[in-house]
Amino acid sequence: MSTPAGGLKNRLTTDLTTAMKAKDEIVTSTIRMALTAIRNEEVAGKAARELSEDEVLRVLTREAKKRVEAAEAFASGGRGDRADRERAEGEVLNRYLPAQLSDEELAAVVAGALAEAGVSDVKQMGKAMKAVQTAVAGRAQGGRVAAEVKRQLSV
């Protein structure tokens, strides 16, 4: 199911060139940061390897989450200028991520995954989360997923 990450990684590289030509500093620096994170992941471990498309998505999702957390930290620290920059970088990264599920769509995906996995008790939260995360595939943040799983298992 996983394919080489040529598609998304090539798109990032192409968009970097375009942003550099347009002298778009935010997009340029954000894509450079994302490509660096991907390259770091590729050389982590014992042997260098090409990341699959899913792995590249996970790296981009992790980087986008970092931007959200940094924006919140800067905003609470009174650094509105830095918070705005982090939000702008997050928006650039979100262009490469799958569309997020609505609450209704998430509830339906969670219900289907729980039924398929045969999970009906909060005591099986780990098994439930594993099944649901596979079904969600990066289209919802982990906190939202966990909250919905708990809600459905508590009913």
Side-chain angles (χ1 to χ4, degrees):
M1 186 164 134
S2 294
T3 59
L8 189 52
K9 193 172 165 185
N10 286 342
R11 183 174 155 212
L12 283 164
T13 305
T14 302
D15 289 355
L16 175 60
T17 303
T18 303
M20 289 169 65
K21 288 178 181 175
K23 299 192 185 321
D24 189 335
E25 195 271 327
I26 291 281
V27 175
T28 299
S29 65
T30 303
I31 294 176
R32 277 186 175 149
M33 173 273 311
L35 286 169
T36 299
I38 291 166
R39 286 186 201 107
N40 287 342
E41 191 76 20
E42 288 176 335
V43 298
K46 294 183 179 184
R49 63 190 175 84
E50 181 83 12
L51 295 182
S52 70
E53 195 78 15
D54 292 341
E55 290 170 319
V56 170
L57 276 174
R58 272 196 295 275
V59 170
L60 293 177
T61 301
R62 185 174 59 230
E63 292 299 319
K65 183 179 177 187
K66 286 180 188 178
R67 298 299 157 273
V68 169
E69 292 168 354
E72 291 170 1
F74 281 126
S76 67
R79 295 285 313 271
D81 56 329
R82 288 291 299 152
D84 291 342
R85 169 134 184 147
E86 294 292 336
R87 284 188 202 100
E89 290 177 357
E91 289 172 17
V92 171
L93 291 172
N94 284 337
R95 297 177 197 167
Y96 301 96
L97 298 175
Q100 295 291 296
L101 295 173
S102 68
D103 290 339
E104 297 78 25
E105 292 168 326
L106 179 59
V109 169
V110 168
L114 293 178
E116 189 175 312
V119 177
S120 59
D121 190 359
V122 177
K123 293 177 184 173
Q124 298 175 306
M125 186 71 174
K127 181 180 177 184
M129 284 300 294
K130 186 173 182 178
V132 172
Q133 287 291 15
T134 302
V136 169
R139 296 177 293 156
Q141 292 179 334
R144 282 184 62 212
V145 174
E148 182 60 27
V149 169
K150 284 179 189 172
R151 188 189 71 74
Q152 289 193 22
L153 291 178
S154 298
V155 175

